[in-house]
Amino acid sequence: MAHLLGIDLGTTTTIVARIDASGAPEVVRDWDGQEVTPTAVAFESAAAVVIGREARAMADDADHVFTEFKRDMGTGVSHPAFGRRVTPLDLSALMLRKVREHAEAGAGPVDLAVITIPANFTNAAREATLEAARRAGLGKVHMINEPTAAALAYAHASGGLAEGLYAVFDLGGGTFDVSLVRARGMDVEVVFTEGVQRLGGKDFDTKLLDIVRAGFRETVGEEMRPGDCDFGRADAEELKHRLSSRESVRVALRSARHGRVPVTVRRAALEAATEGLVAQAEMACEGVLLRAGIDRSALSGVFLAGGACRMPAVRAAVERVFGRNPLLRDPDTAVARGAALYAAHRANPALLSPAQRRRTSAIRFQDIAPHYFGTLAMDEDGLLENSVIIAKGEKLPVSRTRTYYTAEPDQRILTCEVTQSAVAESDPSMVLRVAEVEMPLPPGRPADQPVEVTFSYDLDGVMRAEFKDLGTGRPLVIELKSEGSGRGSLNVSRIRLD
Ligand code: AMP
């Protein structure tokens, strides 16, 4: 029987699911016997690392504890830890290694793992995730967008009865995505996707900390000073969870100078303080419907994913914007279960047991490009413009070739650029330049020499760009990879000039 894992490597929590002997996804409990593991890595020394709950518990009072690093994947961010610098990629690799080792201790080597990523993750962040998985010792790995995985889990849980267009509202610990998917039984096709990269449960925790601090000030008549009180982010998160089922919670703060300070926190106060956050999610949903040209009455249903959907105000917002009750079926684990199902879909069928094959063979799946990708070229007036090669929303995998021409006689350098943007954009200053590499050209040629540019975007959502000067036949291949070293912003580690 194949060992197939789905890993929801979330900003604040990590959840792992596997395909069981009957072919159904089941959540794998972590080393503490829990379904949900805090995404946290703590260094006790240069060599000793603690992962998960224990690390999270240390987070408020130690320098070498790292959480929320997913938000910085694929960027140049790095942190000092015992004489070296660690990147979000390093931290993700440590987290994934622990997950792999724990899963393998119970069920033998992993045959295939699927890691979920936010739909709006940049190309560099996707590459960094794949590299982290490789360093964690996971052999064969694929990725899937989180909302799509959730849709797959819901379609599977409905017993193949899902039919029509669904919205997937995914509010996790650190990111928010909303997608439109068409489901026909176990056949799931992503139609549109949009996200807010820095919006999640974490932002609600921050607001709640402010509320608790204000309560402290009201009770004792002075500000809460750093180190004075033992109420930290982890406590705020737990309080937020309790406020999802209760109207108010009484917290007994212990202050070094004032002793026991009782503070009552009401759900209404949290809701008032987080109205702006909820409104951002609502606006993104309205934007998706508008841009996809779909009226909300055309939806067959709304799926929720991400633990932060447990907040009543979030559910009310979903109802408001989509005009219907969302389906709430284990939103915290839906993404991991969907990822495990996708692992079964991508696995070599010969590896699956007959029962696993029977339960998962009906899965069909179609994902789309989450960004526009293009290159910079001169227009007729000699002005630089962004030329889109792969459009957001195109079905994956996609490979497209366009021909461009050199601009000047005896042009000796061709600047090969790859751009990424959220909307179709011709202004170069409005797009993200993800790679820029210079290709030397032979001397003495007239202008207008053709250069063939091929962009390919694969099923894991990773982009590859090839620039080929047809005169010499020499291709310059840019494989977009994250350096993960904290150096610079150029996410190119391998450039081939054959
Ligand atoms: P995810 O990344 O999807 O696991 O979502 C994690 C986020 O969901 C974190 O911000 C959690 O604090 C939040 N969360 C989990 N359970 C609840 C709950 N009962 N009420 C409010 N937020 C929750």
Side-chain angles (χ1 to χ4, degrees), residues 74 155 169 205 209 328 336 356 441:
F169 182 100
D205 302 344
L209 267 177
L328 187 69
Q356 286 181 325
L441 296 176

Side-chain angles (χ1 to χ4, degrees), residues 10 56 69 120-121 134 188 279 359 425 441:
R56 180 77 179 84
F69 39 86
N120 61 7
F121 236 21
R134 197 188 59 73
V188 174
R359 285 285 290 274
E425 182 60 70
L441 296 176

Side-chain angles (χ1 to χ4, degrees), residues 108-397:
V110 174
D111 293 298
L112 180 101
V114 168
I115 300 175
T116 63
I117 47 177
N120 61 7
F121 236 21
T122 62
N123 205 68
R126 287 165 193 266
E127 285 285 8
T129 305
L130 276 181
E131 176 61 16
R134 197 188 59 73
R135 285 199 207 161
L138 286 163
K140 214 166 160 36
V141 174
H142 291 298
M143 296 191 298
I144 183 173
N145 291 333
E146 286 156 9
T148 321
L152 215 49
Y154 275 98
H156 188 269
S158 76
L161 295 179
E163 183 73 47
L165 198 60
Y166 292 82
V168 186
F169 182 100
D170 180 3
L171 186 62
T175 54
F176 170 68
D177 285 310
V178 56
S179 303
L180 298 177
V181 298
R182 200 177 300 284
R184 246 171 268 106
M186 303 266 269
D187 186 341
V188 174
E189 180 189 356
V190 183
V191 179
F192 210 88
T193 186
E194 198 70 82
V196 182
Q197 204 156 3
R198 286 180 176 265
L199 174 65
K202 216 68 230 172
D203 302 300
F204 291 73
D205 302 344
T206 305
K207 297 281 185 195
L208 206 42
L209 267 177
D210 292 343
I211 292 172
V212 171
R213 285 202 189 101
F216 179 93
R217 191 171 51 232
E218 258 167 46
T219 312
V220 305
E222 58 179 86
E223 294 293 336
M224 186 194 282
R225 295 190 202 155
D228 181 29
C229 215
D230 59 353
F231 193 88
R233 290 203 75 92
D235 304 294
E237 186 175 12
E238 199 192 312
L239 175 61
K240 176 187 69 178
H241 295 183
R242 291 170 70 195
L243 285 170
S244 290
S245 53
R246 295 173 57 181
E247 294 288 344
S248 74
V249 173
R250 212 171 142 77
V251 197
L253 302 173
R254 276 193 308 278
S255 155
R257 287 175 312 124
H258 303 280
R260 194 170 168 282
V261 181
V263 170
T264 298
V265 182
R266 295 185 201 291
R267 185 197 290 163
L270 173 66
E271 293 184 349
T274 55
E275 251 174 21
L277 300 175
V278 175
Q280 272 187 60
E282 258 182 274
M283 265 152 48
C285 295
E286 279 163 6
V288 157
L289 290 174
L290 199 70
R291 276 191 287 282
I294 285 165
D295 190 84
R296 65 185 197 171
S297 61
L299 295 178
S300 299
V302 182
F303 301 143
L304 295 185
C309 289
R310 293 201 182 272
M311 282 183 281
V314 171
R315 294 226 293 278
V318 174
E319 270 182 61
R320 246 187 338 264
V321 71
F322 292 115
R324 66 184 63 237
N325 274 330
L327 297 169
L328 187 69
R329 198 182 276 151
D330 295 332
D332 342 43
T333 64
V335 169
R337 286 183 287 116
L341 287 164
Y342 185 60
H345 172 63
R346 294 295 299 269
N348 176 354
L351 285 176
L352 305 181
S353 69
Q356 286 181 325
R357 217 173 304 142
R358 225 178 7 261
R359 285 285 290 274
T360 59
S361 62
I363 297 173
R364 299 275 177 280
F365 173 76
Q366 176 67 65
D367 210 345
I368 54 173
H371 311 285
Y372 287 88
F373 289 101
T375 192
L376 298 186
M378 240 62 112
D379 68 8
E380 302 90 73
D381 303 322
L383 291 173
L384 203 59
E385 72 168 37
N386 184 48
S387 164
V388 170
I389 298 179
I390 292 179
K392 177 172 173 166
E394 287 205 60
K395 292 183 177 180
L396 302 186

